[in-house]
Coordinates of all heavy atoms in Angstrom, one line a residue:
P25 N -112.8 4.1 -38.7 CA -114.1 3.5 -38.6 C -115.1 4.5 -38.1 O -114.7 5.5 -37.4 CB -114.0 2.3 -37.6 CG -112.8 2.7 -36.8 CD -111.9 3.5 -37.7
S103 N -117.1 7.4 -26.9 CA -116.6 7.7 -28.3 C -117.0 6.6 -29.3 O -117.5 5.6 -28.9 CB -115.1 7.9 -28.3 OG -114.5 6.7 -28.0
V104 N -116.6 6.8 -30.5 CA -116.8 5.8 -31.5 C -116.0 4.6 -31.1 O -116.5 3.4 -31.3 CB -116.3 6.3 -32.9 CG1 -116.3 5.2 -34.0 CG2 -117.2 7.5 -33.4
E105 N -114.8 4.8 -30.6 CA -114.0 3.6 -30.2 C -114.7 2.8 -29.1 O -114.7 1.6 -29.1 CB -112.6 4.1 -29.8 CG -111.8 4.6 -30.9 CD -112.1 6.0 -31.4 OE1 -113.0 6.7 -30.8 OE2 -111.6 6.4 -32.5
D106 N -115.3 3.5 -28.1 CA -116.0 2.9 -27.0 C -117.2 2.1 -27.6 O -117.5 1.0 -27.2 CB -116.5 3.9 -26.0 CG -115.4 4.6 -25.3 OD1 -114.4 4.0 -25.0 OD2 -115.6 5.8 -25.0
W107 N -117.9 2.7 -28.6 CA -119.0 2.0 -29.2 C -118.5 0.7 -29.9 O -119.2 -0.3 -29.7 CB -119.6 3.0 -30.2 CG -120.7 2.4 -31.1 CD1 -120.5 1.9 -32.4 CD2 -122.1 2.3 -30.8 NE1 -121.7 1.5 -32.9 CE2 -122.7 1.8 -32.0 CE3 -122.9 2.7 -29.7 CZ2 -124.1 1.5 -32.0 CZ3 -124.2 2.4 -29.8 CH2 -124.8 1.9 -30.9
K108 N -117.4 0.8 -30.6 CA -116.9 -0.4 -31.3 C -116.5 -1.4 -30.3 O -116.8 -2.6 -30.5 CB -115.6 0.1 -32.1 CG -115.0 -1.1 -32.9 CD -113.8 -0.6 -33.7 CE -113.2 -1.7 -34.4 NZ -112.0 -1.2 -35.2
N109 N -115.8 -1.0 -29.2 CA -115.4 -2.0 -28.2 C -116.5 -2.7 -27.5 O -116.4 -3.8 -27.0 CB -114.5 -1.3 -27.2 CG -113.1 -0.9 -27.8 OD1 -112.7 -1.4 -28.8 ND2 -112.5 0.1 -27.2
A110 N -117.7 -2.0 -27.4 CA -118.9 -2.5 -26.8 C -119.7 -3.4 -27.8 O -120.7 -4.0 -27.4 CB -119.8 -1.4 -26.3
G111 N -119.2 -3.6 -29.0 CA -119.8 -4.4 -30.0 C -120.9 -3.7 -30.9 O -121.6 -4.4 -31.6
G112 N -120.9 -2.4 -30.8 CA -121.8 -1.7 -31.7 C -121.4 -1.8 -33.1 O -120.3 -1.9 -33.5
I114 N -120.2 -1.0 -36.7 CA -119.3 -0.1 -37.3 C -119.2 -0.3 -38.8 O -119.4 -1.4 -39.3 CB -117.9 -0.4 -36.7 CG1 -117.8 -0.1 -35.2 CG2 -116.7 0.3 -37.4 CD1 -117.9 1.4 -34.8
E116 N -116.6 0.7 -42.2 CA -115.3 1.1 -42.7 C -115.4 1.6 -44.2 O -116.5 1.4 -44.8 CB -114.3 0.0 -42.6 CG -114.2 -0.7 -41.2 CD -113.1 -0.1 -40.4 OE1 -112.3 0.7 -40.8 OE2 -113.0 -0.6 -39.2

Side-chain angles (χ1 to χ4, degrees):
S103 66
V104 172
E105 289 76 8
D106 295 325
W107 174 264
K108 181 179 179 181
N109 292 338
I114 293 290
E116 307 265 357

